[in-house]
Structure formats: C-alpha cells, structure tokens
Amino acid sequence: MISTSRLSDLFVEVADTLVDDFDLIDFLHHVATNAAEITSSTAVGLMLDDHAGNLRFMAASSEDARLLELFQLQNSEGPCLDAHDTGEEVADIVIEESMERWPVFTPRAIELGLRSAHCFPLRLRDQVIGAMNTFRADASPMSQEERRVARALADLATIGLMQERALRRAEELTEQLQFALNSRIVIEQAKGAVARTLEIGVDDAFGVLRAYARQHRLRLTDVARNVVADRAALQALVDSAT
C-alpha cells in the first residue's frame, strides 16, 4: 500500500508540471511513471486522440511499454484501443485468457513478460481524448485503492491535456486575430497609395486591388503588401487598371 505522504508527494510532483512552462511530453511521462509506481505495474503507456479520431502514442514508463503501445496502434488491436473506443475502463484483464479477444496483441504481451492489464480512458464528461494502459508481470487484479488513485491520475492527465489544448487554441486565435489586424492595416495603406496615384476614391481603389488579385490569382493581402513595399508593384497595378 502506498503511503499517504508518498501519495501527496506524487500528486504535487505531477501537478507542478502543469504550471509555468507547460511541457506536454514531460507531463505525460510523469503521469506514466507515477502511475506505474502507485499501481505496482511493470509498464504504463499513454495514447492520445489526434482530433481526427486516431490514437497516437505519447508517453510510456519503460521501453517495453512504448513497444506494446506502438504494437497496439500498428495492429489496431488491444485493451488501450478498446478503452478509448468505448470510453469505459477495460478492467482486470488476464492476458493469457485474451487470445480470442486480441489474437495479435496477446502473444506479443506475453512475449514481453506481461500477464495482466487494466486500462483507463482519459475522459472529460462525454469527450474521450485518449487512454492510459497499465500492465503487470503477474495476473493479480488491481486493488480498489490502486484503481481509485490510477483513475485520479488519469483524470489529472485529462485536465492537463484539456488545458494545453485550450491554451493552444487561444494562442492560435490570438495569432489569427493579429494577422487579420495586420492585414487590414496594410490593405488600408495600399488603398491609400492606389487612390492617390490614380486620383480615385478609396472604395474604387479597393476594387482595383481586388480585381488585380483575382486576375493574377494572388491573395489580396499579398498584393497590398507588395504595393506598399515596392513602387514597381504599385506601378504594375496602376498600369493594369488604366
């Protein structure tokens, strides 16, 4: 049984990776190695959904765990895939008795010296974003305490991953908004340059820019940027409009 003090240290250690400079791979490695410790597992692996519904290997507590995770992905078979697909725990699997269920995975797991498995979906409400696999060298089932703490680690991993994805989306949105703002500024500058050169209104100048971009199959922003930065580009646009 894991001590209360060690359990506290373990969760503090994992939680520390969620702050400051969040490193996704380091965080998942911490989850895998700590899950192996608290569940007395020989190997623990983590897979994540890539947004297209495909699982990808992300972290493992050992080389054997990494190989077994990749083997499941390559052969589209194994308890981790089932946990992800169903969103439910695949519990207390005796691997030697699983040949009918996973005929390709089972011999490989036995070859690596593994005898039992317990897999947890990484799930937030109805959204399943991955799975955590635990494997043991004996066929003993997890205790209720081990199962409860492993679920808590899986939940912590899910929270961390959702945070990382939310931050990435926010950063992407910020970049998109900044790009749009910069594009609008350069287009306004180009409209002014064309309007002054052709002695027309800014609305008509915008029409000239759009027509040139369409005629030459260029992005409007790129045309505007060239017009602002290069007098020859401005002259070429003016010549095409007259």
Side-chain angles (χ1 to χ4, degrees):
M1 179 183 298
I2 189 169
S3 69
T4 302
S5 61
R6 177 59 190 128
L7 191 59
S8 298
D9 290 343
L10 182 151
F11 275 94
V12 168
E13 179 184 344
V14 174
D16 279 346
T17 64
L18 286 171
V19 298
D20 298 327
D21 295 327
F22 180 74
D23 185 320
L24 178 60
I25 300 302
D26 182 58
F27 168 69
L28 294 177
H29 178 73
H30 272 82
V31 170
T33 55
N34 286 324
E37 177 185 346
I38 63 172
T39 62
S40 302
S41 295
T42 307
V44 173
L46 283 156
M47 297 184 190
L48 297 185
D49 192 309
D50 66 359
H51 296 291
N54 303 309
L55 280 177
R56 305 291 184 188
F57 166 77
M58 292 300 296
S61 63
S62 66
E63 179 63 13
D64 282 351
R66 185 184 75 86
L67 292 174
L68 199 55
E69 297 293 84
L70 292 173
F71 189 79
Q72 291 183 79
L73 291 174
Q74 290 166 357
N75 293 279
S76 302
E77 176 188 294
C80 188
L81 277 68
D82 286 7
H84 171 261
D85 291 344
T86 64
E88 303 292 338
E89 287 183 30
V90 179
D92 299 328
I93 299 297
V94 178
I95 292 175
E96 291 178 342
E97 299 175 359
S98 303
M99 185 67 75
E100 183 175 343
R101 186 174 185 180
W102 303 304
V104 179
F105 162 81
T106 299
R108 180 57 172 156
I110 293 173
E111 181 184 329
L112 291 172
L114 303 173
R115 296 293 178 268
S116 62
H118 196 121
C119 302
F120 302 84
L122 303 183
R123 182 180 62 199
L124 182 64
R125 300 183 183 89
D126 294 331
Q127 185 177 4
V128 181
I129 63 170
M132 181 175 77
N133 292 332
T134 66
F135 299 98
R136 286 178 164 176
D138 59 65
S140 62
M142 273 192 187
S143 69
Q144 287 300 317
E145 180 186 14
E146 289 171 335
R147 190 176 300 190
R148 186 165 55 249
V149 178
R151 281 196 202 106
L153 266 179
D155 290 343
L156 185 60
T158 304
I159 292 169
L161 292 164
M162 297 301 289
Q163 171 183 290
E164 193 272 342
R165 290 183 177 183
L167 287 172
R168 189 168 65 233
R169 284 196 294 269
E171 290 171 354
E172 290 172 352
L173 179 58
T174 299
E175 290 176 359
Q176 290 168 358
L177 290 174
Q178 188 60 52
F179 179 79
L181 178 59
N182 293 341
S183 297
R184 173 49 56 187
I185 291 171
V186 77
I187 287 171
E188 292 300 324
Q189 291 173 338
K191 285 164 59 177
V194 173
R196 286 192 302 272
T197 303
L198 290 176
E199 298 181 344
I200 59 176
V202 290
D203 287 341
D204 290 335
F206 184 55
V208 171
L209 286 166
R210 290 184 65 196
Y212 186 88
R214 290 179 178 179
Q215 179 182 354
H216 293 84
R217 297 183 179 179
L218 297 172
R219 292 171 57 192
L220 178 61
T221 304
D222 292 337
V223 171
R225 188 173 290 112
N226 289 337
V227 164
V228 170
D230 185 351
R231 183 174 295 274
L234 172 59
Q235 189 58 53
L237 183 142
V238 168
D239 291 344
S240 71
T242 56

